PDB file of all heavy atoms in Angstrom:
ATOM      1  N   GLY H 391     -25.216 -16.120  81.391  1.00 62.00           N
ATOM      2  CA  GLY H 391     -25.595 -15.599  82.737  1.00 62.00           C
ATOM      3  C   GLY H 391     -26.013 -16.646  83.725  1.00 62.00           C
ATOM      4  O   GLY H 391     -26.368 -16.282  84.801  1.00 62.00           O
ATOM      5  N   SER H 392     -25.903 -17.915  83.352  1.00 65.00           N
ATOM      6  CA  SER H 392     -26.338 -18.984  84.199  1.00 65.00           C
ATOM      7  C   SER H 392     -25.153 -19.761  84.784  1.00 65.00           C
ATOM      8  O   SER H 392     -24.403 -20.502  84.044  1.00 65.00           O
ATOM      9  CB  SER H 392     -27.281 -19.950  83.528  1.00 65.00           C
ATOM     10  OG  SER H 392     -27.512 -21.071  84.239  1.00 65.00           O
ATOM     11  N   LEU H 393     -24.828 -19.664  86.091  1.00 64.00           N
ATOM     12  CA  LEU H 393     -23.779 -20.459  86.655  1.00 64.00           C
ATOM     13  C   LEU H 393     -24.037 -21.899  86.646  1.00 64.00           C
ATOM     14  O   LEU H 393     -23.094 -22.766  86.414  1.00 64.00           O
ATOM     15  CB  LEU H 393     -23.537 -20.033  88.165  1.00 64.00           C
ATOM     16  CG  LEU H 393     -22.454 -20.668  88.874  1.00 64.00           C
ATOM     17  CD1 LEU H 393     -21.103 -20.393  88.222  1.00 64.00           C
ATOM     18  CD2 LEU H 393     -22.443 -20.233  90.340  1.00 64.00           C
ATOM     19  N   GLU H 394     -25.314 -22.345  86.657  1.00 66.00           N
ATOM     20  CA  GLU H 394     -25.651 -23.779  86.620  1.00 66.00           C
ATOM     21  C   GLU H 394     -25.379 -24.316  85.254  1.00 66.00           C
ATOM     22  O   GLU H 394     -24.840 -25.463  85.165  1.00 66.00           O
ATOM     23  CB  GLU H 394     -27.143 -23.919  86.888  1.00 66.00           C
ATOM     24  CG  GLU H 394     -27.671 -25.293  86.869  1.00 66.00           C
ATOM     25  CD  GLU H 394     -29.176 -25.385  87.137  1.00 66.00           C
ATOM     26  OE1 GLU H 394     -29.799 -24.403  87.503  1.00 66.00           O
ATOM     27  OE2 GLU H 394     -29.663 -26.548  87.026  1.00 66.00           O
ATOM     28  N   ARG H 395     -25.553 -23.524  84.199  1.00 63.00           N
ATOM     29  CA  ARG H 395     -25.233 -23.997  82.912  1.00 63.00           C
ATOM     30  C   ARG H 395     -23.717 -24.170  82.673  1.00 63.00           C
ATOM     31  O   ARG H 395     -23.296 -25.106  82.050  1.00 63.00           O
ATOM     32  CB  ARG H 395     -25.777 -22.983  81.868  1.00 63.00           C
ATOM     33  CG  ARG H 395     -25.526 -23.445  80.431  1.00 63.00           C
ATOM     34  CD  ARG H 395     -25.964 -22.281  79.442  1.00 63.00           C
ATOM     35  NE  ARG H 395     -25.860 -22.764  78.094  1.00 63.00           N
ATOM     36  CZ  ARG H 395     -25.965 -21.907  77.007  1.00 63.00           C
ATOM     37  NH1 ARG H 395     -26.202 -20.576  77.216  1.00 63.00           N
ATOM     38  NH2 ARG H 395     -25.700 -22.269  75.808  1.00 63.00           N
ATOM     39  N   LEU H 396     -22.927 -23.248  83.235  1.00 62.00           N
ATOM     40  CA  LEU H 396     -21.457 -23.338  83.154  1.00 62.00           C
ATOM     41  C   LEU H 396     -20.968 -24.494  83.910  1.00 62.00           C
ATOM     42  O   LEU H 396     -20.083 -25.219  83.402  1.00 62.00           O
ATOM     43  CB  LEU H 396     -20.859 -22.025  83.668  1.00 62.00           C
ATOM     44  CG  LEU H 396     -19.338 -21.830  83.405  1.00 62.00           C
ATOM     45  CD1 LEU H 396     -19.070 -21.763  81.939  1.00 62.00           C
ATOM     46  CD2 LEU H 396     -18.892 -20.566  84.139  1.00 62.00           C
ATOM     47  N   VAL H 397     -21.433 -24.688  85.114  1.00 63.00           N
ATOM     48  CA  VAL H 397     -21.003 -25.866  85.956  1.00 63.00           C
ATOM     49  C   VAL H 397     -21.421 -27.176  85.328  1.00 63.00           C
ATOM     50  O   VAL H 397     -20.692 -28.172  85.414  1.00 63.00           O
ATOM     51  CB  VAL H 397     -21.597 -25.752  87.448  1.00 63.00           C
ATOM     52  CG1 VAL H 397     -21.178 -26.916  88.211  1.00 63.00           C
ATOM     53  CG2 VAL H 397     -20.985 -24.410  88.044  1.00 63.00           C
ATOM     54  N   GLY H 398     -22.597 -27.185  84.673  1.00 63.00           N
ATOM     55  CA  GLY H 398     -23.115 -28.446  84.063  1.00 63.00           C
ATOM     56  C   GLY H 398     -22.529 -28.870  82.761  1.00 63.00           C
ATOM     57  O   GLY H 398     -22.968 -29.872  82.155  1.00 63.00           O
ATOM     58  N   ILE H 399     -21.417 -28.181  82.259  1.00 60.00           N
ATOM     59  CA  ILE H 399     -20.874 -28.523  81.029  1.00 60.00           C
ATOM     60  C   ILE H 399     -20.217 -29.885  81.164  1.00 60.00           C
ATOM     61  O   ILE H 399     -19.433 -30.169  82.076  1.00 60.00           O
ATOM     62  CB  ILE H 399     -19.898 -27.453  80.531  1.00 60.00           C
ATOM     63  CG1 ILE H 399     -20.619 -26.181  80.184  1.00 60.00           C
ATOM     64  CG2 ILE H 399     -19.111 -27.985  79.299  1.00 60.00           C
ATOM     65  CD1 ILE H 399     -19.708 -25.075  79.799  1.00 60.00           C
ATOM     66  N   SER H 400     -20.470 -30.838  80.208  1.00 60.00           N
ATOM     67  CA  SER H 400     -19.815 -32.096  80.163  1.00 60.00           C
ATOM     68  C   SER H 400     -18.753 -32.082  79.031  1.00 60.00           C
ATOM     69  O   SER H 400     -18.972 -31.386  77.945  1.00 60.00           O
ATOM     70  CB  SER H 400     -20.701 -33.215  79.893  1.00 60.00           C
ATOM     71  OG  SER H 400     -21.440 -33.000  78.710  1.00 60.00           O
ATOM     72  N   PHE H 401     -17.608 -32.694  79.288  1.00 61.00           N
ATOM     73  CA  PHE H 401     -16.531 -32.648  78.316  1.00 61.00           C
ATOM     74  C   PHE H 401     -16.320 -33.943  77.564  1.00 61.00           C
ATOM     75  O   PHE H 401     -16.630 -35.019  78.102  1.00 61.00           O
ATOM     76  CB  PHE H 401     -15.178 -32.219  79.043  1.00 61.00           C
ATOM     77  CG  PHE H 401     -15.214 -30.839  79.584  1.00 61.00           C
ATOM     78  CD1 PHE H 401     -15.574 -30.505  80.874  1.00 61.00           C
ATOM     79  CD2 PHE H 401     -14.958 -29.779  78.760  1.00 61.00           C
ATOM     80  CE1 PHE H 401     -15.635 -29.254  81.396  1.00 61.00           C
ATOM     81  CE2 PHE H 401     -14.910 -28.453  79.221  1.00 61.00           C
ATOM     82  CZ  PHE H 401     -15.300 -28.251  80.511  1.00 61.00           C
ATOM     83  N   ALA H 402     -15.906 -33.875  76.280  1.00 67.00           N
ATOM     84  CA  ALA H 402     -15.742 -35.067  75.531  1.00 67.00           C
ATOM     85  C   ALA H 402     -14.313 -35.048  74.868  1.00 67.00           C
ATOM     86  O   ALA H 402     -13.522 -34.083  75.040  1.00 67.00           O
ATOM     87  CB  ALA H 402     -16.816 -35.058  74.373  1.00 67.00           C
ATOM     88  N   ILE H 403     -14.052 -35.966  74.028  1.00 75.00           N
ATOM     89  CA  ILE H 403     -12.690 -36.068  73.421  1.00 75.00           C
ATOM     90  C   ILE H 403     -12.388 -34.840  72.531  1.00 75.00           C
ATOM     91  O   ILE H 403     -11.303 -34.417  72.341  1.00 75.00           O
ATOM     92  CB  ILE H 403     -12.630 -37.401  72.570  1.00 75.00           C
ATOM     93  CG1 ILE H 403     -11.155 -37.562  72.031  1.00 75.00           C
ATOM     94  CG2 ILE H 403     -13.611 -37.446  71.412  1.00 75.00           C
ATOM     95  CD1 ILE H 403     -10.144 -37.716  73.060  1.00 75.00           C
ATOM     96  N   GLY H 404     -13.494 -34.342  71.946  1.00 74.00           N
ATOM     97  CA  GLY H 404     -13.343 -33.118  71.125  1.00 74.00           C
ATOM     98  C   GLY H 404     -12.751 -31.874  71.853  1.00 74.00           C
ATOM     99  O   GLY H 404     -12.172 -31.008  71.325  1.00 74.00           O
ATOM    100  N   ASP H 405     -13.044 -31.911  73.164  1.00 75.00           N
ATOM    101  CA  ASP H 405     -12.522 -30.808  74.013  1.00 75.00           C
ATOM    102  C   ASP H 405     -10.951 -30.824  74.068  1.00 75.00           C
ATOM    103  O   ASP H 405     -10.321 -29.828  74.130  1.00 75.00           O
ATOM    104  CB  ASP H 405     -13.096 -30.809  75.410  1.00 75.00           C
ATOM    105  CG  ASP H 405     -14.648 -30.755  75.380  1.00 75.00           C
ATOM    106  OD1 ASP H 405     -15.184 -29.859  74.681  1.00 75.00           O
ATOM    107  OD2 ASP H 405     -15.291 -31.602  76.048  1.00 75.00           O
ATOM    108  N   LEU H 406     -10.450 -32.042  74.108  1.00 82.00           N
ATOM    109  CA  LEU H 406      -8.982 -32.214  74.082  1.00 82.00           C
ATOM    110  C   LEU H 406      -8.402 -31.630  72.775  1.00 82.00           C
ATOM    111  O   LEU H 406      -7.362 -30.984  72.742  1.00 82.00           O
ATOM    112  CB  LEU H 406      -8.550 -33.576  74.348  1.00 82.00           C
ATOM    113  CG  LEU H 406      -8.886 -34.223  75.721  1.00 82.00           C
ATOM    114  CD1 LEU H 406      -8.513 -35.687  75.785  1.00 82.00           C
ATOM    115  CD2 LEU H 406      -8.266 -33.395  76.790  1.00 82.00           C
ATOM    116  N   TYR H 407      -9.104 -31.953  71.691  1.00 86.00           N
ATOM    117  CA  TYR H 407      -8.649 -31.496  70.391  1.00 86.00           C
ATOM    118  C   TYR H 407      -8.720 -29.934  70.426  1.00 86.00           C
ATOM    119  O   TYR H 407      -7.806 -29.306  69.869  1.00 86.00           O
ATOM    120  CB  TYR H 407      -9.603 -31.952  69.271  1.00 86.00           C
ATOM    121  CG  TYR H 407      -9.465 -33.451  68.983  1.00 86.00           C
ATOM    122  CD1 TYR H 407     -10.570 -34.277  68.828  1.00 86.00           C
ATOM    123  CD2 TYR H 407      -8.240 -34.089  68.891  1.00 86.00           C
ATOM    124  CE1 TYR H 407     -10.502 -35.590  68.594  1.00 86.00           C
ATOM    125  CE2 TYR H 407      -8.090 -35.483  68.659  1.00 86.00           C
ATOM    126  CZ  TYR H 407      -9.252 -36.128  68.548  1.00 86.00           C
ATOM    127  OH  TYR H 407      -9.125 -37.581  68.185  1.00 86.00           O
ATOM    128  N   MET H 408      -9.690 -29.406  70.990  1.00 82.00           N
ATOM    129  CA  MET H 408      -9.842 -27.889  70.981  1.00 82.00           C
ATOM    130  C   MET H 408      -8.769 -27.265  71.892  1.00 82.00           C
ATOM    131  O   MET H 408      -8.242 -26.190  71.543  1.00 82.00           O
ATOM    132  CB  MET H 408     -11.292 -27.536  71.468  1.00 82.00           C
ATOM    133  CG  MET H 408     -11.662 -26.135  71.274  1.00 82.00           C
ATOM    134  SD  MET H 408     -11.781 -25.644  69.508  1.00 82.00           S
ATOM    135  CE  MET H 408     -11.179 -23.979  69.616  1.00 82.00           C
ATOM    136  N   LEU H 409      -8.479 -27.907  72.979  1.00 83.00           N
ATOM    137  CA  LEU H 409      -7.446 -27.413  73.897  1.00 83.00           C
ATOM    138  C   LEU H 409      -6.119 -27.452  73.188  1.00 83.00           C
ATOM    139  O   LEU H 409      -5.300 -26.499  73.266  1.00 83.00           O
ATOM    140  CB  LEU H 409      -7.382 -28.210  75.147  1.00 83.00           C
ATOM    141  CG  LEU H 409      -6.335 -27.765  76.154  1.00 83.00           C
ATOM    142  CD1 LEU H 409      -6.563 -26.324  76.629  1.00 83.00           C
ATOM    143  CD2 LEU H 409      -6.310 -28.782  77.362  1.00 83.00           C
ATOM    144  N   LEU H 410      -5.859 -28.521  72.497  1.00 90.00           N
ATOM    145  CA  LEU H 410      -4.616 -28.617  71.631  1.00 90.00           C
ATOM    146  C   LEU H 410      -4.500 -27.564  70.681  1.00 90.00           C
ATOM    147  O   LEU H 410      -3.463 -26.958  70.377  1.00 90.00           O
ATOM    148  CB  LEU H 410      -4.471 -30.051  71.096  1.00 90.00           C
ATOM    149  CG  LEU H 410      -3.169 -30.281  70.302  1.00 90.00           C
ATOM    150  CD1 LEU H 410      -1.939 -30.116  71.197  1.00 90.00           C
ATOM    151  CD2 LEU H 410      -3.244 -31.718  69.727  1.00 90.00           C
ATOM    152  N   ALA H 411      -5.648 -27.283  69.935  1.00 89.00           N
ATOM    153  CA  ALA H 411      -5.749 -26.287  68.934  1.00 89.00           C
ATOM    154  C   ALA H 411      -5.455 -24.908  69.580  1.00 89.00           C
ATOM    155  O   ALA H 411      -4.665 -24.060  68.952  1.00 89.00           O
ATOM    156  CB  ALA H 411      -7.078 -26.229  68.256  1.00 89.00           C
ATOM    157  N   ALA H 412      -5.952 -24.635  70.751  1.00 86.00           N
ATOM    158  CA  ALA H 412      -5.708 -23.322  71.418  1.00 86.00           C
ATOM    159  C   ALA H 412      -4.168 -23.104  71.743  1.00 86.00           C
ATOM    160  O   ALA H 412      -3.601 -22.033  71.527  1.00 86.00           O
ATOM    161  CB  ALA H 412      -6.455 -23.266  72.691  1.00 86.00           C
ATOM    162  N   ILE H 413      -3.556 -24.217  72.221  1.00 89.00           N
ATOM    163  CA  ILE H 413      -2.113 -24.139  72.506  1.00 89.00           C
ATOM    164  C   ILE H 413      -1.303 -23.979  71.232  1.00 89.00           C
ATOM    165  O   ILE H 413      -0.340 -23.162  71.172  1.00 89.00           O
ATOM    166  CB  ILE H 413      -1.649 -25.428  73.252  1.00 89.00           C
ATOM    167  CG1 ILE H 413      -2.361 -25.511  74.593  1.00 89.00           C
ATOM    168  CG2 ILE H 413      -0.161 -25.471  73.430  1.00 89.00           C
ATOM    169  CD1 ILE H 413      -2.165 -26.815  75.286  1.00 89.00           C
ATOM    170  N   ILE H 414      -1.646 -24.699  70.163  1.00 93.00           N
ATOM    171  CA  ILE H 414      -0.978 -24.591  68.846  1.00 93.00           C
ATOM    172  C   ILE H 414      -1.108 -23.192  68.341  1.00 93.00           C
ATOM    173  O   ILE H 414      -0.164 -22.612  67.765  1.00 93.00           O
ATOM    174  CB  ILE H 414      -1.546 -25.688  67.871  1.00 93.00           C
ATOM    175  CG1 ILE H 414      -1.014 -27.075  68.285  1.00 93.00           C
ATOM    176  CG2 ILE H 414      -1.154 -25.337  66.427  1.00 93.00           C
ATOM    177  CD1 ILE H 414      -1.595 -28.153  67.464  1.00 93.00           C
ATOM    178  N   PHE H 415      -2.315 -22.569  68.432  1.00 88.00           N
ATOM    179  CA  PHE H 415      -2.480 -21.179  67.901  1.00 88.00           C
ATOM    180  C   PHE H 415      -1.569 -20.194  68.615  1.00 88.00           C
ATOM    181  O   PHE H 415      -1.049 -19.277  68.064  1.00 88.00           O
ATOM    182  CB  PHE H 415      -3.960 -20.793  68.012  1.00 88.00           C
ATOM    183  CG  PHE H 415      -4.191 -19.450  67.374  1.00 88.00           C
ATOM    184  CD1 PHE H 415      -4.183 -19.303  66.034  1.00 88.00           C
ATOM    185  CD2 PHE H 415      -4.448 -18.349  68.182  1.00 88.00           C
ATOM    186  CE1 PHE H 415      -4.392 -18.005  65.443  1.00 88.00           C
ATOM    187  CE2 PHE H 415      -4.766 -17.101  67.609  1.00 88.00           C
ATOM    188  CZ  PHE H 415      -4.665 -16.965  66.237  1.00 88.00           C
TER     189      PHE H 415
END
Side-chain angles (χ1 to χ4, degrees):
S392 170
L393 181 62
E394 182 180 352
R395 183 184 181 193
L396 190 63
V397 173
I399 293 177
S400 60
F401 293 93
I403 185 64
D405 301 312
L406 295 178
Y407 292 134
M408 193 64 215
L409 179 61
L410 182 57
I413 296 172
I414 285 174
F415 185 70

